[in-house]
Amino acid sequence: MKVLITGSSGLVGNSIKKSDKKSDIEFIYWSSKDCNLLNYEEVYNKLIELQPDIIVNLAANVGGLFKNLNKNVEMFEDNIQMNMNILRLSKKIGVKMVISCLSTCIFPDKTEYPIKEEYLNNGIPHYSNNGYAYAKRFIDIYTGLMNVENSETLFVNLSPTNIYGENDNYNLNDAHVIPALIHRGYLSSGGEFEIKGSGKALRMFIYSDDLAKIILEFINFYAEDKLNKMKDLINITRENQLNYNFIVADKDEITIKYIAEIIAEQFNINKLTFNTNYPDGQYRKPVDNTRLKELFKLYNKNLEFVDFKEKLIETCNYFKNNYNNIRK
Ligand code: NDP
């Protein structure tokens, strides 16, 4: 079996690269240098040549709050185009399964909590990431339609919470919350570290190696029974639309303060302050991972997550030790 991983030079792609894998599966890794997914002709020619059985579609134009605010149009255009090319061509050449990544940050800004898969299109996303969110929601709509019409290719979507880990993007303008705090903590080493907001907001995180393991399990589930057990589990959420979407999350909610304190300790910060002149955003955004847990149960697998503090410390150490080579 051939499995193509797009976005392989990114945070999650690198975690898949270093995971233990079955020897009877051939993994092929694409970054933008191997294939520019914005270019339909190039994707078409390379996919025809490769003929993968499964595609794990991780490639995306992705970033934190400031990138989303400043580049909403670019993020909409790029993500729509990349995903349209991959998804459309997967169907055309008869790929057996495509796993795409959505995100819990694309769910409605005003919603019920904990967030469940079926709430995705019940309201508008937060204004700051409209472009990214609607482009990702398009994957949900498009794959849902294709799952009904096309029996040859199975489209599965994973919706992880915030991801963190070694090969993250630590650019101070573009980064997500944990890599941004690690980089700012590092630059404040031995001095004062100011956090914007009270630090009381709660968020959910997943370590990129945990997400990689879950993705590899989906590949194993496919090998076992073509994911037939999964099909029985999913409710049809909108008439005539089969959305095989799974929220991927650990159970714990973590305060920004807790994260900042761990980071401060790693960089010998003298004084940690919280500037309450800045807003905290939504106090909590809990999500419900019941569907994923049930799926793992069907395949007699445990859904296990690493210890957050331990992996955050490891990530800080990785950042320190690789400062000259990391993405920043
Ligand atoms: P990264 O930003 O770390 O990596 C993005 C990847 O996409 C890189 O390999 C990049 O290749 C590739 N890429 C970008 N543009 C193109 C292009 N035009 N053609 C081909 N490849 C391209 O992403 P993550 O690993 O963090 O995210 C993986 C998935 O998870 C994404 O779909 C993302 O939307 C989703 N997600 C991420 C979250 C997070 O907190 N990081 C949270 C929830 C979901 P290159 O290096 O060559 O540019």
Side-chain angles (χ1 to χ4, degrees):
M1 190 157 73
K2 262 191 208 173
V3 178
L4 168 65
I5 312 287
T6 72
S8 66
S9 50
L11 171 62
V12 184
N14 270 296
S15 288
I16 293 188
K17 270 187 202 160
K18 68 176 192 197
S19 309
D20 282 338
K21 300 177 210 86
K22 285 194 170 166
S23 54
D24 54 346
I25 301 179
E26 182 191 352
F27 282 83
I28 298 105
Y29 297 99
W30 279 3
S31 72
S32 63
K33 290 181 193 73
D34 304 297
C35 181
N36 178 6
L37 298 184
L38 293 171
N39 182 329
Y40 181 86
E41 288 288 301
E42 188 179 344
V43 186
Y44 179 81
N45 290 330
K46 289 186 172 163
L47 278 186
I48 287 275
E49 194 188 330
L50 187 66
Q51 293 289 332
D53 298 294
I54 292 179
I55 299 181
V56 179
N57 183 26
L58 300 174
N61 186 342
V62 54
L65 175 69
F66 295 112
K67 179 168 178 186
N68 273 297
L69 274 172
N70 298 327
K71 296 185 177 168
N72 250 319
V73 174
E74 177 194 296
M75 292 177 85
F76 181 74
E77 291 172 346
D78 283 4
N79 287 309
I80 285 274
Q81 199 169 338
M82 273 191 258
N83 288 310
M84 182 55 125
N85 288 345
I86 276 285
L87 295 171
R88 192 174 177 192
L89 286 167
S90 298
K91 181 177 107 176
K92 204 173 174 117
I93 69 161
V95 173
K96 296 191 181 70
M97 176 170 74
V98 182
I99 300 174
S100 299
C101 255
L102 311 183
S103 168
T104 55
C105 76
I106 68 169
F107 278 73
D109 183 35
K110 295 191 173 61
T111 183
E112 271 178 68
Y113 292 105
I115 294 174
K116 295 184 179 180
E117 287 85 355
E118 54 267 35
Y119 301 166
L120 181 60
N121 291 299
N122 286 357
I124 58 173
H126 192 263
Y127 71 91
S128 61
N129 75 345
N130 262 330
Y132 176 78
Y134 277 117
K136 288 274 180 186
R137 286 189 191 185
F138 141 83
I139 300 178
D140 169 78
I141 303 290
Y142 188 39
T143 56
L145 293 171
M146 288 197 291
N147 276 333
V148 175
E149 264 186 28
N150 167 38
S151 56
E152 215 179 329
T153 311
L154 175 67
F155 295 93
V156 177
N157 300 324
L158 305 182
S159 297
T161 55
N162 282 291
I163 309 165
Y164 71 102
E166 293 177 351
N167 290 285
D168 217 330
N169 172 9
Y170 296 89
N171 182 294
L172 290 171
N173 298 318
D174 291 355
H176 287 105
V177 55
I178 287 187
L181 286 176
I182 291 177
H183 196 165
R184 289 189 48 234
Y186 174 85
L187 296 177
S188 311
S189 289
E192 182 175 342
F193 184 24
E194 186 194 90
I195 306 297
K196 291 175 180 152
S198 71
K200 289 180 184 157
L202 288 154
R203 293 291 178 267
M204 295 179 84
F205 297 90
I206 182 163
Y207 187 53
S208 61
D209 291 9
D210 279 346
L211 178 57
K213 279 186 207 140
I214 289 169
I215 291 171
L216 293 172
E217 287 296 5
F218 270 82
I219 294 170
N220 294 335
F221 297 161
Y222 184 85
E224 192 175 315
D225 74 340
K226 305 221 172 339
L227 273 170
N228 277 324
K229 287 180 195 155
M230 174 194 79
K231 291 178 191 165
D232 296 336
L233 178 79
I234 304 293
N235 301 318
I236 300 175
T237 53
R238 288 184 291 282
E239 205 176 343
N240 292 329
Q241 201 158 326
L242 291 166
N243 290 280
Y244 299 121
N245 182 17
F246 292 84
I247 286 177
V248 181
D250 196 352
K251 60 182 187 318
D252 299 327
E253 290 179 84
I254 292 167
T255 61
I256 301 298
K257 183 166 181 270
Y258 181 66
I259 297 168
E261 283 169 352
I262 295 169
I263 293 172
E265 224 171 277
Q266 307 319 304
F267 298 114
N268 303 316
I269 298 295
N270 277 333
K271 193 176 169 200
L272 178 63
T273 56
F274 295 88
N275 187 338
T276 50
N277 292 323
Y278 289 95
D280 283 335
Q282 185 87 29
Y283 172 56
R284 294 178 66 201
K285 294 180 175 182
V287 299
D288 183 342
N289 67 1
T290 305
R291 184 180 278 178
L292 184 68
K293 270 199 303 213
E294 283 179 8
L295 179 77
F296 270 59
K297 221 185 283 167
L298 284 177
Y299 287 91
N300 296 317
K301 290 275 176 183
N302 289 326
L303 192 55
E304 284 165 352
F305 297 97
V306 293
D307 179 71
F308 177 79
K309 184 173 179 182
E310 184 189 322
K311 291 298 165 186
L312 181 57
I313 293 172
E314 269 181 40
T315 308
C316 290
N317 288 332
Y318 178 88
F319 180 89
K320 265 190 265 186
N321 297 334
N322 295 279
Y323 185 73
N324 292 330
N325 303 319
I326 50 165
R327 272 195 286 167
K328 60 180 185 301

